[in-house]
């Protein structure tokens, strides 16, 4: 099992079990150009991170970088 630790801007800490992640999508908002990252889980739940603050953009970049290292041969980074 691999876990991803996320600390939100309000200080909450969440641990994401990567075994339960079924899909990750990285895109950009059509209007603002802000990055968006969506993690889908096996039980149809999802976590969406909008890059509306510098901290959120850093979180998105960190998650993408970590996933790129976890999944040999696959790259999410642009």
């Amino acid at each position: 099992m691999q876990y991803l630790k996320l600390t939100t801007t309000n200080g909450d800490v969440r641990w994401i079990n990567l075994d339960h992640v079924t899909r990750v999508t990285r895109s950009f908002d059509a209007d603002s150009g802000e990055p968006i990252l969506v993690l889908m889980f096996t039980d149809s739940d999802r976590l969406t991170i909008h890059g509306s603050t510098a901290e959120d953009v850093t979180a998105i970049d960190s998650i993408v970088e970590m996933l790129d290292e976890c999944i040999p041969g696959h790259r999410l980074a642009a």
Side-chain angles (χ1 to χ4, degrees), residues 18-74:
L18 294 179
D19 290 338
H20 294 262
V21 174
T22 58
R23 187 176 80 198
V24 179
T25 300
R26 181 183 188 198
S27 63
F28 295 88
D29 184 272
D31 296 324
S32 68
E34 294 174 347
I36 301 170
L37 188 71
V38 180
L39 290 93
M40 301 292 295
F41 299 93
T42 53
D43 58 3
S44 300
D45 286 337
R46 68 178 171 179
L47 169 66
T48 303
I49 303 171
H50 294 269
S52 54
T53 67
E55 292 87 359
D56 293 335
V57 171
T58 299
I60 290 170
D61 291 344
S62 295
I63 293 167
V64 167
E65 188 176 306
M66 188 276 311
L67 289 173
D68 282 343
E69 291 175 10
C70 285
I71 307 169
H74 295 81

Side-chain angles (χ1 to χ4, degrees), residues 2-6 14-18 39 62-63 66:
Q2 292 185 4
Y3 287 88
L4 170 64
K5 180 182 177 182
L6 294 177
R14 298 171 191 250
W15 293 89
I16 305 297
N17 182 343
L18 294 179
L39 290 93
S62 295
I63 293 167
M66 188 276 311

